[in-house]
Amino acid sequence: MYASSSHLPESSRVAIVKTLNERLADGLDLHSQIKVAHWNVKGPHFAALHPLFETFATELAAFNDEIAERAVTLGGLAAGTARHVAASSRVPEYPQETTRGLDHVRLLAERFGVYIQGLHASRAISDEHRDADTSDLLTNIITTFDKHTWFLLASLEG
């Protein structure tokens, strides 16, 4: 660990950086999957889904950056190469042959659920170590992706 202005003991920072890197791997993987959906979506819902997926990807990219920067702020390193992500992500592989709009919606909703579960686990770790700043960051991401999941699930109703 590197020097940090954090009030947290090093053992806490180590645990939080580890969980943040786990979420970074999931987030980077999920971002690439959202982009695959964005690029390949076809069908009658294209006009609505194409920009919606781009919005999801843009917001997730910003959150990934915040997670990485938080890990470094705590004195750790951010691990986010493609190889690291491939070896570490808990998000299921995305079926590359998917084109139908509502198939993308279903697949992304499932993956958002996995991502959110990981965020909750990381927030529990940051709460355990009394890191309110990391907990706040994770709560913001959870709230945003809960809303995005609602958008997707609402699209499947009917």
Side-chain angles (χ1 to χ4, degrees):
M1 294 293 289
Y2 294 95
S4 170
S5 62
S6 173
H7 69 283
L8 298 169
E10 184 170 333
S11 61
S12 292
R13 292 187 293 123
V14 166
I16 295 165
V17 167
K18 178 181 182 293
T19 198
L20 287 172
N21 272 308
E22 291 167 353
R23 296 301 68 80
L24 182 58
D26 289 351
L28 291 169
D29 188 13
L30 183 58
H31 179 268
S32 69
Q33 293 187 24
I34 296 168
K35 291 301 289 189
V36 166
H38 168 76
W39 295 323
N40 293 308
V41 65
K42 306 230 182 311
H45 304 290
F46 172 84
L49 294 177
H50 184 74
L52 181 64
F53 295 164
E54 182 63 19
T55 298
F56 295 162
T58 300
E59 288 185 0
L60 184 53
F63 286 140
N64 288 337
D65 192 54
E66 289 184 51
I67 288 171
E69 290 175 351
R70 182 66 186 155
V72 174
T73 298
L74 291 171
L77 294 171
T81 66
R83 288 183 183 120
H84 178 265
V85 170
S88 303
S89 177
R90 297 175 329 106
V91 178
E93 181 61 52
Y94 203 84
Q96 293 290 310
E97 66 282 355
T98 307
T99 60
R100 294 193 52 213
L102 293 182
D103 291 340
H104 283 296
V105 168
R106 180 183 49 76
L107 290 166
L108 289 177
E110 292 168 0
R111 281 146 183 81
F112 284 14
V114 171
Y115 181 60
I116 292 167
Q117 286 174 352
L119 292 167
H120 280 285
S122 291
R123 186 174 62 183
I125 291 168
S126 65
D127 288 345
E128 175 186 330
H129 290 279
R130 294 187 166 91
D131 182 1
D133 298 327
T134 298
S135 292
D136 287 348
L137 168 62
L138 296 170
T139 297
N140 185 31
I141 301 169
I142 290 166
T143 302
T144 300
F145 271 82
D146 276 344
K147 180 179 172 185
H148 291 338
T149 302
W150 167 58
F151 276 33
L152 293 173
L153 294 175
S155 299
L156 296 172
E157 293 286 322

